[in-house]
Amino acid sequence: MASDLSVILPRVLIVSRRSVRKNKFVDFVGEYHLDLIVSYGAVPVIVPRVSGVHTLLSSFEPIHGVLLCEGEDIDPSLYEGEVDQASGLSPQELEEIKRLHASDTAIDREKDSIELSLAKLCLERNIPYLGICRGSQVLNVACGGTLYQDIEKELSKKVKEGEQVMHIDYDNYDGHRHVVKVVENTPLNDWFKDSLEEGKMEILVNSYHHQGVKKLAQRFVPMAYAPDGLIEGFYDPDAYNPDEGKFIMGLQFHPERMRRPDSEEFDYPGCPSAYREFVKAVIAYQKKLNSSTKVAKPLKLDQEMEKKRKVIVRSFSLARNLYTTGHEMDPIKESELEAGAEFLESNTALSLQQENRLKQMGATVRSANSYIKKLKLDEERQRVARNVMGKMSVEQLSDLMSFYHMMGQICSEELERKLNSLVNGFGS
């Protein structure tokens, strides 16, 4: 049973984060992510952050979903041309940012390459994507959006007094919360609606970041704002329908870690909803993918069907012999051609390749003799046509080909119109 599940369950790719332990690199993924993915019915597949993995992503197929989460700052050159000019930060300010957020500001270009490649793959194929924290920023950058290199330096100094927000508190790392305003008629609103006070659209979220969305990519719609105006969640409404395998979303906060002190209980009942709906979309996407690539099983014939098959094969064999030899047919065997003729008349939905093959066998007509005569007539017509065209100039041949091409188009259009008319007639 376990081996069957490993094949059946959909696969969600998650890229690990590199850390240093005892002077050695260690790759890890937060267990809360893994627990939720597994509990809702998918298999997490960890993509290790090691050199060269971005060139091997096809080896992780089939990919039914991608979850990208925490990590270092994204290389600013990926979303800003002239970094210093775009951010407006001085060299001294950039150095101060590196000092204050040393664990995040060490750029990891390999991780950037892996995750941006996966994000773009999801966007190209409509593979479900959930971005948490850095993962939301990767999604925005992949779609042409930009980021604040440092919220405090770039955003906080622009807002009114009393609207400033602390987005990271190293002294109260897991316990720190700040208010966000949830946007109506969004998935986030649906998930947390039972926790929103009447007349207020606010929840408290955790916060572990010093960067965030500056310019939101055009395809996305905000789902939540912090009091300082920072977008804390967004999604693509045209790519959101979990039941149909559609899910493209980014959350700046960590709902999987919004737990009560010294407890595994969530702050709100809606906290795990992003993972539940994401996995629902992953499962639906896998089903859709499997149905489009499913190969028909070989048909098993019972004795009666096998007997009929042999009669038809015999009929085709006789027709082929007549066609290749050109001999007259024994009247006793002529009736054996009937089975092949009847089969063809009752099975007209043939591909062009199948039809041509059956014509070559001489089994597309009831009488093999008349088929041979028709072939000879066609050969004579082709011979006459070749003689006539052989005497024509290049210009005349070009005009003739253009004429028949035009006639073919008209014929095709008229045929399509009449077939549509017939189909619509049946439908009514």
Side-chain angles (χ1 to χ4, degrees):
M1 182 65 179
S3 60
D4 291 341
L5 283 175
S6 68
V7 176
I8 294 169
L9 292 178
R11 298 151 54 89
V12 174
L13 267 57
I14 308 176
V15 181
S16 65
R17 180 179 186 179
R18 172 184 273 187
S19 183
V20 177
R21 183 173 180 270
K22 294 184 179 180
N23 298 320
K24 299 289 183 183
F25 288 125
V26 176
D27 281 18
F28 71 94
V29 174
E31 275 198 17
Y32 279 145
H33 300 296
L34 306 178
D35 286 343
L36 287 165
I37 293 297
V38 170
S39 67
Y40 288 120
V43 173
V45 177
I46 298 176
V47 179
R49 181 258 161 260
V50 291
S51 298
V53 166
H54 68 276
T55 65
L56 306 173
L57 294 179
S58 60
S59 301
F60 291 90
E61 299 278 6
I63 302 170
H64 305 122
V66 171
L67 167 64
L68 299 185
C69 38
E70 57 272 349
E72 294 80 0
D73 295 347
I74 300 169
D75 184 353
S77 67
L78 294 171
Y79 57 86
E80 299 284 18
E82 297 295 328
V83 176
D84 293 344
Q85 294 177 17
S87 65
L89 298 172
S90 67
Q92 292 78 14
E93 287 176 314
L94 290 171
E95 282 301 318
E96 186 181 354
I97 292 166
K98 288 180 181 179
R99 181 177 54 80
L100 288 172
H101 307 287
S103 62
D104 291 332
T105 52
I107 302 300
D108 188 341
R109 290 183 174 81
E110 185 67 30
K111 186 174 174 70
D112 288 347
S113 181
I114 296 168
E115 295 192 340
L116 281 169
S117 296
L118 283 173
K120 289 172 182 177
L121 186 68
C122 289
L123 296 166
E124 289 167 8
R125 294 196 205 166
N126 292 317
I127 298 171
Y129 178 105
L130 173 59
I132 301 293
C133 196
R134 171 191 156 97
S136 68
Q137 297 170 11
V138 169
L139 179 60
N140 188 47
V141 170
C143 293
T146 63
L147 306 176
Y148 288 111
Q149 282 196 70
D150 187 76
I151 296 165
E152 186 179 357
K153 299 285 184 191
E154 294 183 71
L155 178 62
S156 296
K157 62 185 179 184
K158 296 179 182 178
V159 301
K160 297 176 183 177
E161 190 174 346
E163 293 181 350
Q164 286 94 347
V165 176
M166 182 181 286
H167 288 278
I168 191 165
D169 184 355
Y170 289 111
D171 294 329
N172 185 24
Y173 198 67
D174 274 317
H176 177 59
R177 302 284 188 271
H178 69 70
V179 169
V180 296
K181 186 176 181 62
V182 177
V183 178
E184 291 187 49
N185 302 317
T186 63
L188 203 63
N189 182 195
D190 293 339
W191 301 339
F192 287 90
K193 61 184 177 183
D194 294 335
S195 302
L196 299 170
E197 294 181 25
E198 190 174 348
K200 274 189 171 184
M201 295 289 289
E202 295 179 349
I203 57 172
L204 289 167
V205 301
N206 53 9
S207 198
Y208 309 93
H209 60 106
H210 78 102
Q211 296 194 324
V213 170
K214 184 175 184 179
K215 183 187 79 175
L216 187 64
Q218 191 171 1
R219 68 184 291 166
F220 297 124
V221 170
M223 294 195 298
Y225 291 94
D228 58 8
L230 187 75
I231 295 171
E232 293 274 344
F234 58 88
Y235 79 117
D236 182 347
D238 295 326
Y240 182 82
N241 189 329
D243 291 326
E244 294 183 3
K246 298 178 180 179
F247 193 105
I248 303 289
M249 180 179 294
L251 297 175
Q252 182 58 69
F253 55 96
H254 285 258
E256 81 286 354
R257 291 172 65 176
M258 286 170 58
R259 316 258 178 161
R260 299 187 186 281
D262 302 319
S263 170
E264 292 299 291
E265 185 181 352
F266 287 105
D267 290 357
Y268 304 101
C271 286
S273 297
Y275 290 82
R276 183 189 66 232
E277 296 304 299
F278 168 64
V279 173
K280 183 191 292 184
V282 169
I283 292 170
Y285 180 84
Q286 184 207 31
K287 288 179 179 176
K288 189 162 57 175
L289 196 65
N290 287 349
S291 65
S292 66
T293 57
K294 195 173 287 183
V295 178
K297 294 181 179 179
L299 180 65
K300 292 184 177 180
L301 303 178
D302 57 24
Q303 288 185 345
E304 186 63 27
M305 287 289 287
E306 178 62 18
K307 185 177 178 182
K308 289 181 179 179
R309 185 189 70 82
K310 288 180 178 178
V311 170
I312 293 170
V313 170
R314 166 72 175 163
S315 178
F316 286 175
S317 180
L318 288 171
R320 182 188 60 195
N321 290 338
L322 279 172
Y323 171 63
T324 54
T325 62
H327 294 158
E328 293 290 330
M329 183 170 219
D330 185 338
I332 298 174
K333 293 183 178 180
E334 190 170 345
S335 61
E336 294 186 52
L337 285 174
E338 294 293 322
E342 288 173 5
F343 173 80
L344 290 169
E345 288 170 2
S346 63
N347 293 274
T348 55
L350 302 172
S351 70
L352 183 61
Q353 184 179 7
Q354 290 170 321
E355 188 177 345
N356 288 337
R357 176 61 179 151
L358 291 174
K359 282 180 180 178
Q360 291 170 5
M361 293 171 66
T364 55
V365 291
R366 186 170 294 275
S367 169
N369 288 332
S370 63
Y371 179 61
I372 292 170
K373 291 177 183 177
K374 182 177 180 299
L375 283 177
K376 289 181 178 178
L377 181 60
D378 287 344
E379 288 175 2
E380 179 62 22
R381 286 173 178 168
Q382 286 186 24
R383 187 183 62 78
V384 172
R386 288 181 189 280
N387 286 338
V388 172
M389 290 183 189
K391 297 174 183 177
M392 296 172 69
S393 66
V394 172
E395 290 78 8
Q396 289 172 322
L397 285 170
S398 179
D399 290 343
L400 185 64
M401 188 169 68
S402 297
F403 171 76
Y404 279 109
H405 178 70
M406 177 184 69
M407 295 302 290
Q409 276 190 311
I410 294 171
C411 181
S412 177
E413 290 168 3
E414 284 300 308
L415 180 61
E416 184 177 0
R417 183 180 63 79
K418 291 186 177 183
L419 286 173
N420 287 334
S421 177
L422 285 171
V423 171
N424 293 333
F426 286 131
S428 60

